[in-house]
Amino acid sequence: MAVTVEPSAFSMVDYDAAEISALVDELAGSLGLGDHDIRIEVDETSPLGRNWLETLDPIHIHVESGALEDPKRIRRFSRLGATDVLGRHLLRAKDRFDPDFGDAPTDADLSSAHRTAWDVYTVGRLVRAGFPANRQRWLYAFRNRHGFTDAADDTFETLWLSDGLTWSRVAELSDAAAATNPGKLDRKPA
């Protein structure tokens, strides 16, 4: 396996490509992706935090520099934030490699609710693999997409604590939680 970080030297943010590479190597090894080539492309010209999985062969993750930034120290690398972002995409890649997981939509075609549900599922697995995560942040994000209800909280727990789910099960859980949201806007035109 080879990990490539682009650019190899940063000029606009205080990031170290070797540190990012070492983190990705650690994540890949712990998550069972040690035999895959991985490319991390950081757009240091954007302080935004968009990030997505570009391709699977090699695993190519594109991130804007804000996604890896310490929110309390601008233009400084956050290992915790990077673990969250890069770990989620590595687990999405792992899910996509697994024929039992099923065919998930591309990242661009995921609904916000389904993306958040899959994120919760991946971050829960990251935690069980020994990586830190902000559980409350993910619970709040899940509630924002699925409602502030007991049913949404129960679904969050199911996703957070599960292993071996399929894409159809992740989507089904997400849809069922969203359906119980009393604040959802599901109006028919007059």
Side-chain angles (χ1 to χ4, degrees), residues 46-70:
S46 174
L48 301 177
R50 291 180 297 188
N51 53 86
W52 59 90
L53 180 62
E54 284 273 343
T55 63
L56 293 174
D57 189 21
I59 298 173
H60 176 189
I61 302 168
H62 183 102
V63 295
E64 293 176 340
S65 64
L68 307 179
E69 182 177 72
D70 184 332

Side-chain angles (χ1 to χ4, degrees), residues 25-179:
D25 190 50
E26 178 185 353
L27 283 164
S30 295
L31 301 175
L33 293 167
D35 56 343
H36 293 274
D37 289 333
I38 302 171
R39 178 179 171 216
I40 308 300
E41 181 181 357
V42 181
D43 179 358
E44 69 176 320
T45 66
S46 174
L48 301 177
R50 291 180 297 188
N51 53 86
W52 59 90
L53 180 62
E54 284 273 343
T55 63
L56 293 174
D57 189 21
I59 298 173
H60 176 189
I61 302 168
H62 183 102
V63 295
E64 293 176 340
S65 64
L68 307 179
E69 182 177 72
D70 184 332
K72 295 181 181 177
R73 301 177 335 154
I74 59 172
R75 297 182 14 220
R76 300 283 176 108
F77 181 72
S78 168
R79 180 177 171 85
L80 179 62
T83 299
D84 177 274
V85 170
L86 300 173
R88 281 186 291 122
H89 287 298
L90 289 172
L91 279 169
R92 277 195 190 164
K94 183 176 180 174
D95 288 344
R96 290 182 189 281
F97 288 133
D98 181 358
D100 291 336
F101 185 73
D103 282 337
T106 65
D107 283 5
D109 293 328
L110 287 169
S111 70
S112 295
H114 286 172
R115 178 187 324 276
T116 303
W118 198 359
D119 284 344
V120 168
Y121 176 53
T122 60
V123 176
R125 290 182 290 161
L126 276 174
V127 168
R128 287 189 299 287
F131 296 96
N134 184 337
R135 185 184 180 284
Q136 272 315 110
R137 172 185 173 244
W138 285 106
L139 176 58
Y140 185 70
F142 191 81
R143 286 172 170 170
N144 274 322
R145 298 290 182 231
H146 296 86
F148 288 75
T149 66
D150 290 343
D153 289 356
D154 290 345
T155 300
F156 173 89
E157 288 300 320
T158 298
L159 290 164
W160 187 265
L161 297 173
S162 290
D163 286 304
L165 295 180
T166 62
W167 168 250
S168 62
R169 184 66 177 141
V170 171
E172 174 186 295
L173 286 165
S174 175
D175 293 343

